[in-house]
Amino acid sequence: MARDGAGRGPGGERVAVVGAGLAGCLLAVLLGRRGVPVTVYERRPDPRVAGAERGRSINLAVSARGLAALEQVGLRDHALKRALPMHGRMVHPLGAAPNFQPYSADGERAINSISRAELNRSLLDAAEATPGVTLRFSQRVTGVDAREGVLLLEGADGGTVTEPADVVLAGDGAYSAVRTSLGLDVDADFLEHGYKELTVPARNGDFALDPDALHIWPRGTSMMIALPNLDRSFTCTLFWPKPDFDALDTPERVAAHFAEHYPDVAGLMPDLAADYARNPVGSLVTVRCWPWARYGDGALAALVGDAAHAIVPFFGQGANCAFEDCIEIDRCLDEAGGHWPRALSLYQERRKANTDAIAEMALDNFVEMRDRVSSPVYRARQAATHALERRLAGRYVSRYELVSFSTVPYAEIPARIRRQNRILGAAALTGAAALALAARALRPALRRRGGR
């Protein structure tokens, strides 16, 4: 596969990363630091010049996994300086006062609200500053021919042009053109819900809502959330069944709907009707694909991030999970001694079960956020969970804690939760049996005492 020539990696490979989003940029930095020359192809103009696409990007909730990855390229502290910590959920039930639900038992741990566009700019800057990394914008990759070892790009005249590549790492999103061209086995499961972004601007120069929380308006089959921004605004995202968006087809209907269903925030959105009309409705998809890598005579191609395993955003783990992919590729290259076929084989084998696990947990968390969080029973259960975490520190850990505040592999979390619950159930039964035995043993003495 490798041929003689300049601008190659240590093994002679010409490496292409498709997509200059979060994962593509992080991966380019990691590879560049290994001494592997990388060319990054991005279909958009440089967002640092042209600005970010509006209305399509859900704010990021970066947590332990993402921060650990950013630490590897020296961006953790920089990201945190531009982030707002959210220590819990502020739940806004309809017809009742908001209630705050901390994420951790001690109330100290937080997930971090970060602008996707701003973090992308920071990673682009880091990639551009890394020796051996070349960024090429307004380059639409339409596929890869692994047999011939070439990338397929859209030419200026609408035709196809080719460029040689020995290793292609596709981070081109949930609707990956590279994945389509490779003919991999893909299952794309779309929710009936879509999403639309709105804005709560700053009010008198300050936050209109509590900035220390991720706000949720649960409405059973739908919801709205809001995350704080550094300019003291909030980015709100509606998650509604798609037909519901179409039903609000006039400014009057938009205003009336929000006054009825989101009364405590409707008055904080002076541009509500205009935002609602202007911003598009996005789709929510879970992508399951296998294999993630295709080995041709001319090139290796592998999928990264959403291209391999897009998930719905309800656990805030999309970017965190994609960052873990990048770290795993870097680790596998170490273990494989830079041998790309072996490294990519290890990578897909290790990550597949983890990404399947977080995909299922994210879907379940949607039901929790839109419905369960407003239930008194749910709140009581969460209080009991936090009490157990405090009493059994390190031995009993909630699912949320394991997902958001640890780097325990996602695939290990469901089994650990089941094991914890079995032990807890056995302990409860043992305790109940002991109490019953003690009560039976005490009955004669109690009867004697009663007789005196």
Side-chain angles (χ1 to χ4, degrees), residues 94 196 198 219 224 236 238 240 248 252-267 269 272 276:
L94 188 60
K196 180 189 286 280
L198 303 171
R219 298 296 182 261
M224 181 171 73
C236 300
L238 302 169
W240 294 356
L248 304 186
E252 293 76 20
R253 287 178 176 170
V254 171
H257 184 88
F258 276 77
E260 179 182 357
H261 295 280
Y262 307 98
D264 61 337
V265 74
M269 299 174 161
L272 170 60
Y276 189 93

Side-chain angles (χ1 to χ4, degrees), residues 120-131:
N120 201 171
R121 286 193 293 268
S122 297
L123 283 163
L124 282 166
D125 289 343
E128 194 167 58
T130 302

Side-chain angles (χ1 to χ4, degrees), residues 5-45:
R8 313 291 177 83
E13 301 89 355
R14 292 168 290 200
V15 179
V17 170
V18 181
L22 300 174
C25 287
L26 176 63
L27 187 54
V29 174
L30 291 167
L31 294 175
R33 291 188 174 189
R34 300 181 66 86
V36 176
V38 180
T39 301
V40 181
Y41 297 82
E42 171 55 49
R43 65 173 178 80
R44 303 168 298 169

